[in-house]
Amino acid sequence: MSTVRKILLPNWQFKEASERTWKEATVPGCVHTDLLAHNVIPDPFVGKNELDIQWVDKKDWEYVSYFTLTESDMAEERLELILEGLDTYADIYVNSKQVLSTDNMFRIWKVDIKSYVQEGENMLHVYFHSPIAHDLNKPNELGYNLPADNDHSEDGGVGEKKLSVFARKAPYHYGWDWGPRFVTSGIWRNVYIEAWSHVCMQDVFIEQSHVTKEIAKLKANVELEASAPLAVTISIADNNGFSHEERIQVKKGKQTIAIPFSISKPQLWWSNGLGEPYLYHFSIDLFHNETLKSSKKVKTGLRSIRFVRDHDQGGQSFHFELNGVPVFMKGANHIPNDSFLTRVEKEDYEHEIASAKASHMNMLRVWGGGIYEPNVFYELCDEYGLLVWQDFMFACSMYPGDKAFLDNVEQEAIDNVKRLRNYACVALWCGNNEMDSAWAEYVEDAGWGWKQRYNSAQRKAIWQAYDQLFHQLLPEVIRKYDTNTAYWPSSPMQDLTFNQDQHATFASLKKGDIHYWDVWHGQKPLKAYKANVGRFMSEYGFQSFPEERTVRKYAEEKDFALESDVMLHHQKNGSGNRLIQTYMDMYYKEPKDFASFLHLSQILQAKAIRSAVEAHRIHMPYCMGTLYWQMNDCWPVASWSSMDYYGRWKSLQYEMKDRFKPTILIVDQQAEQVMCTVVSDVQQDQLANLTLQIVSCEGQIVLEEAVRIEIPKNASTKIHLVDLKDKKDWINNSVLAAKLEIDESIVDEVTHLFVEPKQMQLQDPNIHVEVIEGGIELSCDHFAMNVWMETKEEGYFSSNNFHLVPGERKQIYFTESLIQDQRFENKQIPRNINVQSMYNFITF
Ligand code: BMA
């Protein structure tokens, strides 16, 4: 009796259904990347090529693999074909007989093909129906279009028909306000045959019923199938010498066996900033008569996560408690890393997650318009200590509610909850993105104007579908399959009240989470961030352009104008360019050329999000989380991201690395007073020295103060006030340089401008760069605003986009890889460094 074996399927080929010749294919992959590899389509990301390859999604595509089975393969009782991801409408044939038909990209498909195969050569044939042709008639069948504001149906040549909502397929494939429309087809995750006899473990869930530093009470829920009753032994062991064994009589068929066990004095898993994200490596082995029959490995961290929504003075809390500690969440919203998902390698995920860690983040939100990410994403979040807010894949649309659709979604939810529930990082399941507030059932004049498009029967049907899906079906799946993780129906939302208090509106900052878009979409000035702080800010954002190097990947020199066709094509938010320009005029002088404009847009974005983050952190513990929109990009484009498609850090990423530090000083000017506040995420009280200097642009110290302060743990504390009365004459020719020192090391530095940047009297700063032990040191002769360093080689600086005051010496470290070095300790010296500052970017 052998153990369960995996048989891989080799040598894939593909073709368009009406064609004859098969071509080599990559699996996992998709039609677009295979066509690109054969030069059938041009690079989809260059120029306006997107529009020329919309034909791909109107065709059917076929994939085939010839595989060999041996005599011993054939001797197994079961040969289960497992398809971990098919995008999307596919018929699967084994040796020309249909074994399966699929309709959901997010599900895992499994079928026993024993009776269809033979010893020797066999054929697996996957026929993909065009997702567009498949769903084209759905709006007619339903009698109306469902709202789906981001679906670029016109670009796809299907007019008004919003088909994205009918397909259980990544919503962003149909276009978004930062993404192109590429409706892919393909085998996007692994395909293999699992060969076994007698008994096979399908899944092991290590349920964490009760975890404290004294004891972790756990339960291994082992899901297995046996072809006949059998006496087995199941052993559970970890990497620390713990082991536990149980003898069990299994019955014929599928069953789940619960094996309780406990680990005393467990080493807990902590999120970034609070401690080590320690992981246990569990091996679960199933034996029959001393022979190993089936085994599984589960790597997980032991921790308790509580989603706390207690009534309090301010309304109702919205925060996460990790191992009993209330944690302020700092992070961003994550979107898929590519329009073509299988191009995303482990290194790409790791670069993103290492960037998040280097930026002192502790949470990423996997947003509902993308995908349930592959295991590697969550493994890395576990390893790096990043908590995950996990949306189900529904966003900014309303969806059908027929039984077939709901059954399909239920299975999708089960598959993904089971796949992800072992990861220590998963902190919250959330039903959808912005649907509760966009529809706004209980407030007639709230929402995005969707309800009014329908008659009362249609309205009722649409809301009923919503209610069933997000208030019944999904929470029920969580209750059954992931008991210990909380569920939140929609982001943003106040509370599930079934009345007008349910929806998040900007008037209600007292409970629930908030997507604050009055700055940007609502065109309010940046100071509006300060007045609109809720209990948890799960979205807010500000666009910028990627750097010139990245723009050159899609545009040629001749396109280098904001309103050129190509630049506009890579700006998917209709008002985007106008908004960038309007805000830029408010705060900055005119950029001197196109390249400077690109960079100034990044400086502007960093300024905007900095002011939001400071407003949120200053209001801790009233506000207990800030996740800006958005971390990454799926192609090179103007967007709200902090790092571009190539993983290059925009000014914003550096700003976040600075503003998400565990202990920060916030300098806030209101009229003639400047208030200094210290926010600390550190779990101990600290003693510090605060030094304040008012320095003129030429380097003269106008005023100096030093105070000794106490910083309470995990709190925001106002510590010092500077009065600006009578000091008006030097205000646009000097800055406030503040330093916070603990045990003789500087934990934070802030250079505060008393006026808007465009009012500053800038002169050539004459920046000096000196090589020092393991890094470089910068100094200047005249105030240098928004110093920006670039190198030819790809790399990251320990700090960038900072102001430099004459007399100050700033040490900078550099790394070529954040995966190797998130703390910039490897001390690489950047070559060919180019240092500029605001003085170089603007016209005078
Ligand atoms: C948020 C997101 C996305 C969108 C972004 C920018 O609300 O949920 O739908 O891309 O705004 O508009």
Side-chain angles (χ1 to χ4, degrees):
M1 275 175 44
S2 59
T3 50
V4 177
R5 282 180 300 127
K6 241 189 197 184
I7 303 169
L8 302 175
L9 302 177
N11 306 330
W12 286 90
Q13 294 180 301
F14 85 116
K15 69 176 186 69
E16 195 245 293
S18 65
E19 277 181 3
R20 294 239 169 119
T21 1
W22 291 91
K23 290 189 172 116
E24 210 177 293
T26 304
V27 168
C30 81
V31 172
H32 287 80
T33 44
D34 283 333
L35 291 172
L36 186 61
H38 290 279
N39 294 317
V40 179
I41 56 168
D43 188 327
F45 290 171
V46 170
K48 294 166 67 182
N49 289 345
E50 177 196 350
L51 300 178
D52 298 331
I53 51 182
Q54 294 296 317
W55 59 270
V56 177
D57 61 49
K58 316 295 181 300
K59 305 275 186 192
D60 293 359
W61 298 92
E62 294 175 78
Y63 280 76
V64 72
S65 160
Y66 293 90
F67 61 97
T68 309
L69 293 175
T70 63
E71 192 184 342
S72 66
D73 294 335
M74 292 305 293
E76 300 283 7
E77 286 175 1
R78 294 291 182 88
L79 293 171
E80 280 176 337
L81 175 65
I82 299 180
L83 304 125
E84 293 185 341
L86 288 175
D87 172 18
T88 290
Y89 299 114
D91 293 326
I92 293 96
Y93 301 87
V94 172
N95 296 331
S96 305
K97 295 213 179 72
Q98 186 167 354
V99 295
L100 203 64
S101 170
T102 72
D103 58 0
N104 189 328
M105 171 182 180
F106 304 124
R107 280 174 62 178
I108 299 168
W109 304 91
K110 205 171 187 176
V111 57
D112 192 338
I113 55 168
K114 173 85 197 245
S115 57
Y116 298 88
V117 290
Q118 67 218 4
E119 192 184 325
E121 194 180 71
N122 293 275
M123 179 176 78
L124 177 68
H125 176 200
V126 183
Y127 187 104
F128 288 101
H129 297 273
S130 148
I132 298 307
H134 185 277
D135 290 335
L136 199 58
N137 206 32
K138 295 262 174 85
N140 295 343
E141 285 165 22
L142 190 68
Y144 46 87
N145 249 334
L146 285 161
D149 292 2
N150 290 291
D151 183 327
H152 298 169
S153 53
E154 307 265 357
D155 283 351
V158 292
E160 296 275 276
K161 290 193 173 175
K162 306 291 181 193
L163 303 180
S164 50
V165 297
F166 297 103
R168 290 313 297 146
K169 171 168 172 58
Y172 85 109
H173 279 167
Y174 295 80
W176 215 266
D177 60 0
W178 36 258
R181 180 185 183 281
F182 293 118
V183 188
T184 53
S185 283
I187 303 171
W188 74 295
R189 281 184 173 159
N190 294 329
V191 188
Y192 51 88
I193 295 167
E194 210 164 61
W196 59 273
S197 298
H198 310 112
V199 63
C200 173
M201 281 193 291
Q202 267 109 18
D203 185 66
V204 177
F205 172 35
I206 305 288
E207 193 180 332
Q208 305 192 17
S209 327
H210 175 83
V211 177
T212 63
K213 62 180 192 305
E214 270 72 50
I215 191 160
K217 292 186 183 158
L218 309 170
K219 197 158 51 162
N221 294 309
V222 181
E223 208 177 288
L224 56 80
E225 186 173 359
S227 57
L230 203 69
V232 301
T233 304
I234 298 179
S235 81
I236 303 166
D238 75 6
N239 49 333
N240 291 336
F242 166 87
S243 78
H244 176 91
E245 234 180 54
E246 239 161 87
R247 293 180 64 78
I248 289 152
Q249 184 63 38
V250 303
K251 29 182 220 272
K252 183 179 175 205
K254 291 191 176 148
Q255 59 220 280
T256 302
I257 292 160
I259 306 174
F261 65 105
S262 56
I263 293 181
S264 64
K265 303 234 172 334
Q267 191 161 343
L268 299 176
W269 183 91
W270 288 100
S271 59
N272 185 28
L274 288 187
E276 194 195 339
Y278 185 82
L279 295 176
Y280 282 80
H281 299 235
F282 291 106
S283 304
I284 303 92
D285 294 319
L286 182 148
F287 299 87
H288 172 65
N289 292 341
E290 321 271 293
T291 312
L292 179 67
K293 291 293 298 169
S294 187
S295 65
K296 290 265 170 211
K297 303 241 178 280
V298 175
K299 214 195 307 177
T300 190
L302 302 181
R303 88 287 181 257
S304 71
I305 297 181
R306 212 160 69 82
F307 177 42
V308 185
R309 299 194 56 249
D310 292 339
H311 292 276
D312 59 17
Q313 273 188 334
Q316 194 175 5
S317 71
F318 190 107
H319 75 263
F320 297 88
E321 214 176 78
L322 178 66
N323 302 320
V325 175
V327 186
F328 187 99
M329 294 301 163
K330 300 175 288 192
N333 285 269
H334 160 92
I335 65 164
N337 272 311
D338 204 307
S339 290
F340 309 110
L341 289 159
T342 50
R343 296 207 289 210
V344 187
E345 305 282 347
K346 180 181 180 205
E347 293 74 64
D348 302 315
Y349 281 117
E350 191 155 7
H351 171 64
E352 180 194 354
I353 290 163
S355 294
K357 179 173 177 194
S359 308
H360 307 287
M361 294 184 177
N362 54 12
M363 180 177 261
L364 289 173
R365 168 172 176 238
V366 177
W367 162 81
I371 58 164
Y372 308 92
E373 289 290 348
N375 294 342
V376 61
F377 175 87
Y378 303 92
E379 276 163 24
L380 289 165
C381 286
D382 272 5
E383 278 170 32
Y384 281 82
L386 285 164
L387 290 158
V388 171
W389 167 315
Q390 178 68 47
D391 283 2
F392 284 95
M393 293 304 128
F394 301 91
C396 305
S397 311
M398 295 304 274
Y399 291 82
D402 56 278
K403 183 164 186 316
F405 186 87
L406 293 175
D407 289 350
N408 194 3
V409 170
E410 182 174 14
Q411 201 49 55
E412 160 191 332
I414 294 172
D415 286 356
N416 286 286
V417 170
K418 283 172 71 173
R419 183 168 68 84
L420 304 186
R421 62 188 172 178
N422 273 326
Y423 295 106
C425 60
V426 177
L428 183 73
W429 287 97
C430 173
N432 67 68
N433 178 68
E434 296 186 344
M435 291 166 56
D436 184 87
S437 48
W439 183 265
E441 170 71 6
Y442 303 110
V443 184
E444 197 50 37
D445 55 1
W448 300 358
W450 290 351
K451 309 191 278 278
Q452 290 76 9
R453 296 182 203 159
Y454 302 93
N455 67 35
S456 66
Q458 291 167 343
R459 266 180 75 151
K460 205 170 150 210
I462 294 172
W463 184 247
Q464 199 181 2
Y466 181 94
D467 184 56
Q468 272 190 322
L469 191 46
F470 300 105
H471 302 153
Q472 293 168 50
L473 191 154
L474 293 178
E476 192 54 34
V477 170
I478 299 298
R479 249 193 309 278
K480 271 201 199 139
Y481 295 93
D482 192 9
T483 356
N484 296 326
T485 310
Y487 172 80
W488 182 241
S490 181
S491 177
M493 206 172 117
Q494 284 196 67
D495 195 5
L496 187 58
T497 56
F498 301 101
N499 62 29
Q500 70 281 2
D501 296 332
Q502 177 159 312
H503 316 303
T505 58
F506 297 143
S508 64
L509 298 163
K510 295 195 167 122
K511 48 183 177 163
D513 66 326
I514 306 267
H515 291 190
Y516 183 72
W517 282 102
D518 270 5
V519 176
W520 188 259
H521 291 307
Q523 299 183 44
K524 293 236 173 97
L526 303 186
K527 64 172 195 261
Y529 280 129
K530 282 196 204 171
N532 292 280
V533 180
R535 311 308 301 258
F536 195 103
M537 306 302 286
S538 39
E539 267 191 30
Y540 55 92
F542 200 99
Q543 271 203 352
S544 72
F545 281 85
E547 64 186 75
E548 188 185 336
R549 252 194 304 195
T550 296
V551 172
R552 283 185 188 277
K553 294 274 193 177
Y554 61 82
E556 295 173 34
E557 195 92 29
K558 68 173 168 48
D559 309 313
F560 274 28
L562 194 52
E563 301 297 310
S564 74
D565 274 6
V566 168
M567 289 305 290
L568 280 177
H569 192 76
H570 289 251
Q571 164 59 283
K572 299 292 191 190
N573 178 200
S575 329
N577 288 351
R578 183 179 54 80
L579 287 171
I580 292 177
Q581 271 180 318
T582 310
Y583 280 106
M584 209 183 270
D585 288 348
M586 285 162 79
Y587 304 105
Y588 292 99
K589 291 211 168 99
E590 203 181 316
K592 73 166 195 246
D593 53 23
F594 185 68
S596 302
F597 168 79
L598 297 178
H599 184 63
L600 212 54
S601 78
Q602 293 197 7
I603 294 179
L604 171 66
Q605 177 194 35
K607 175 181 169 65
I609 301 304
R610 175 192 180 104
S611 57
V613 165
E614 288 193 338
H616 304 155
R617 290 194 72 182
I618 224 168
H619 280 100
M620 169 195 202
Y622 180 83
C623 175
M624 280 299 278
T626 182
L627 310 177
Y628 65 86
W629 182 268
Q630 72 206 62
M631 184 75 189
N632 54 331
D633 278 329
C634 72
W635 74 318
V637 66
S639 83
W640 298 266
S641 71
S642 55
M643 52 186 240
D644 72 23
Y645 173 68
Y646 300 99
R648 293 173 177 149
W649 281 28
K650 293 179 172 178
S651 304
L652 175 58
Q653 196 68 55
Y654 286 106
E655 201 71 27
M656 295 298 94
K657 179 177 187 290
D658 181 62
R659 290 296 87 191
F660 281 161
K661 279 184 301 204
T663 305
I664 57 160
L665 176 68
I666 297 176
V667 177
D668 183 32
Q669 185 178 336
Q670 312 254 5
E672 296 188 323
Q673 290 191 325
V674 172
M675 175 56 83
C676 298
T677 302
V678 174
V679 181
S680 165
D681 294 338
V682 175
Q683 296 303 310
Q684 291 93 34
D685 297 341
Q686 305 177 92
L687 269 179
N689 289 324
L690 172 69
T691 331
L692 302 171
Q693 284 185 336
I694 293 178
V695 191
S696 76
C697 286
E698 292 77 31
Q700 249 177 335
I701 298 171
V702 183
L703 185 145
E704 192 163 25
E705 285 182 45
V707 276
R708 182 102 177 127
I709 54 163
E710 270 176 51
I711 306 172
K713 64 174 184 183
N714 218 19
S716 164
T717 316
K718 287 194 170 68
I719 50 164
H720 193 72
L721 192 74
V722 185
D723 206 325
L724 295 183
K725 264 190 236 117
D726 319 321
K727 295 183 180 128
K728 292 239 181 62
D729 25 329
W730 42 258
I731 234 163
N732 51 4
N733 189 35
S734 47
V735 297
L736 174 72
K739 268 193 188 59
L740 191 66
E741 267 170 288
I742 296 177
D743 296 336
E744 279 162 35
S745 70
I746 298 170
V747 294
D748 197 21
E749 285 175 283
V750 174
T751 307
H752 170 76
L753 312 185
F754 299 108
V755 291
E756 291 304 350
K758 70 175 178 186
Q759 293 165 294
M760 288 297 287
Q761 294 164 8
L762 295 181
Q763 290 176 33
D764 185 349
N766 195 18
I767 300 170
H768 309 275
V769 183
E770 250 174 80
V771 175
I772 53 160
E773 166 83 31
I776 52 172
E777 192 173 72
L778 303 192
S779 57
C780 60
D781 295 343
H782 197 274
F783 176 59
M785 193 156 97
N786 298 97
V787 175
W788 184 248
M789 294 166 293
E790 283 171 327
T791 49
K792 286 229 171 66
E793 67 220 298
E794 300 281 341
Y796 310 87
F797 295 96
S798 55
S799 174
N800 212 347
N801 191 41
F802 48 84
H803 305 319
L804 198 59
V805 179
E808 188 186 348
R809 305 187 72 79
K810 177 112 179 159
Q811 281 95 44
I812 305 285
Y813 302 96
F814 179 81
T815 183
E816 283 170 15
S817 166
L818 289 161
I819 297 175
Q820 311 301 329
D821 183 15
Q822 295 108 47
R823 293 167 176 268
F824 297 84
E825 287 164 343
N826 293 353
K827 308 269 164 92
Q828 295 163 333
I829 309 282
R831 279 166 288 145
N832 303 316
I833 179 170
N834 178 26
V835 185
Q836 299 182 84
S837 74
M838 185 60 78
Y839 183 76
N840 306 98
F841 302 127
I842 50 174
T843 48
F844 286 92

